[in-house]
Amino acid sequence: MSPELVTHLGYLLKHAQLQLFELTTAALEPFGLDGRQLAVLVVLGSGEPASQQEAAQRLGVDRTTMVAFVDALERKGLVERRPHTQDRRKNVVELTTTGRDTLHRASKARDAAEQEFLAPLSAPLARQLRQSLATLITPR
Amino acid sequence: MSPELVTHLGYLLKHAQLQLFELTTAALEPFGLDGRQLAVLVVLGSGEPASQQEAAQRLGVDRTTMVAFVDALERKGLVERRPHTQDRRKNVVELTTTGRDTLHRASKARDAAEQEFLAPLSAPLARQLRQSLATLITPR
DNA sequence: TATTGTTATACTCTATAACTATA
DNA sequence: TATAGTTATAGAGTATAACAATA
């Protein structure tokens, strides 16, 4: 890679994300999940049962994209759709017992991958990195 | 966005990159460039005249992808292809006078966008962020 | 009329395979 | 035979438009 490119923040962020993505993907592979699907599980597994559309908004994706995500997780037996009692246009998507167990174990595996990625930094520097990134993405 | 998601490093990196991307895109818009095209200009404008394939390797993209990049820059009048003197299978891609000028001014605009993005951090924290990211993406 | 989920379709970005010309 | 550039094509990932059911 050209030295002219590697000094720029865009390059640093892009490649940091890329490397973490690879570590995370490998860590989740035993669960038959990728990082995106785990994020969907996290959203579906937290808080009240929500409609697909609410879940899509929380993930920042289109509702049509959500259909495919839920399809994939349902094929794996991790979630189930059922019609909303009060509003039958909506689907409530709930985690199965297997889905809940997979969520817990896969989350731990993902956290371990993050720790491995951050290993070259001291604990204070790792904490500061998180803090700085959080500051930067806060709307202003 | 779900609070469960925002604490993870993958989320922080992804959204930091996304916000910087948006700032950079806006800053480069007056030059008719995006961040990717500027990166291509940087590579083509540095060092010796190289073949398209060498440039592609330095950018980490396929040579077929490089064709489209050079096509776009050539249409804008920023670069010119000419056959390599010693090996006529190769193209030497050189910046035009306009291309060189655009490279300089667009680079400054991109740097300014980075500064704007980093503005919420003190200078030492911004420096430390760069340093930590550089440490993390160093092959180990 | 408006909204939810769904399907069909299209668009972006990138790579793989095949072709031409040169070596 | 092998390589550089090109073209055609395909795949992943996502969105937009249109439709059926429901509100």
Side-chain angles (χ1 to χ4, degrees):
Chain A
M1 195 66 59
S2 290
E4 302 79 18
L5 294 178
V6 305
T7 56
H8 284 286
L9 190 58
Y11 177 90
L12 295 172
L13 286 173
K14 176 179 170 183
H15 286 259
Q17 202 209 339
L18 201 60
Q19 288 196 18
L20 177 58
F21 175 80
E22 285 166 7
L23 283 176
T24 302
T25 299
L28 294 180
E29 194 275 331
F31 304 98
L33 293 177
D34 59 26
R36 179 61 51 87
Q37 292 174 330
L38 176 56
V40 178
L41 271 189
V42 169
V43 167
L44 294 176
S46 68
E48 301 83 68
S51 71
Q52 283 185 205
Q53 188 143 213
E54 286 171 303
Q57 285 164 357
R58 289 207 265 166
L59 279 163
V61 299
D62 193 85
R63 64 191 167 133
T64 64
T65 302
M66 196 67 199
V67 171
F69 287 165
V70 175
D71 283 349
L73 294 175
E74 197 169 42
R75 271 194 301 271
K76 295 178 206 282
L78 303 178
V79 305
E80 281 174 354
R81 289 170 162 105
R82 61 174 180 77
H84 191 286
T85 319
Q86 273 77 43
D87 185 344
R88 285 169 51 217
R89 294 172 303 182
K90 297 185 180 180
N91 282 343
V92 174
V93 186
E94 283 179 318
L95 270 63
T96 62
T97 304
T98 304
R100 217 166 299 275
D101 176 62
T102 299
L103 169 59
H104 291 142
R105 293 187 298 126
S107 292
K108 281 185 186 168
R110 190 260 309 268
D111 292 347
E114 283 194 13
Q115 290 309 114
E116 182 189 345
F117 176 70
L118 289 171
L121 299 181
S122 68
L125 281 183
R127 204 156 33 235
Q128 185 59 252
L129 175 67
R130 274 187 202 276
Q131 179 57 54
S132 291
L133 290 172
T135 299
L136 290 174
I137 69 176
T138 300
R140 42 187 194 242
Chain B
M1 194 66 59
S2 291
E4 302 79 19
L5 294 179
V6 304
T7 58
H8 284 284
L9 191 58
Y11 178 89
L12 296 172
L13 286 173
K14 176 179 168 182
H15 285 259
Q17 201 210 338
L18 200 59
Q19 288 196 19
L20 177 58
F21 174 80
E22 285 166 5
L23 283 176
T24 302
T25 299
L28 294 181
E29 194 275 331
F31 304 98
L33 293 177
D34 59 27
R36 178 63 49 88
Q37 292 174 331
L38 176 55
V40 177
L41 271 189
V42 169
V43 166
L44 295 176
S46 69
E48 300 81 70
S51 69
Q52 283 186 204
Q53 189 143 215
E54 286 170 303
Q57 286 164 357
R58 289 208 266 167
L59 279 163
V61 299
D62 193 85
R63 62 189 169 135
T64 64
T65 302
M66 195 68 198
V67 172
F69 288 165
V70 175
D71 283 349
L73 294 175
E74 197 169 41
R75 271 194 302 272
K76 295 177 206 284
L78 303 178
V79 305
E80 282 175 354
R81 290 169 161 104
R82 59 172 180 79
H84 191 286
T85 319
Q86 273 77 45
D87 185 345
R88 284 169 51 218
R89 295 173 301 183
K90 298 184 179 180
N91 282 343
V92 174
V93 187
E94 283 179 320
L95 271 62
T96 62
T97 304
T98 305
R100 217 166 297 276
D101 177 60
T102 300
L103 169 58
H104 291 143
R105 294 187 297 125
S107 292
K108 281 184 187 170
R110 192 259 309 269
D111 292 348
E114 282 195 13
Q115 289 309 114
E116 182 188 345
F117 176 69
L118 289 171
L121 299 181
S122 68
L125 280 183
R127 204 157 33 236
Q128 184 58 254
L129 175 68
R130 274 187 202 276
Q131 179 57 55
S132 290
L133 290 173
T135 299
L136 290 175
I137 69 176
T138 300
R140 34 190 140 112

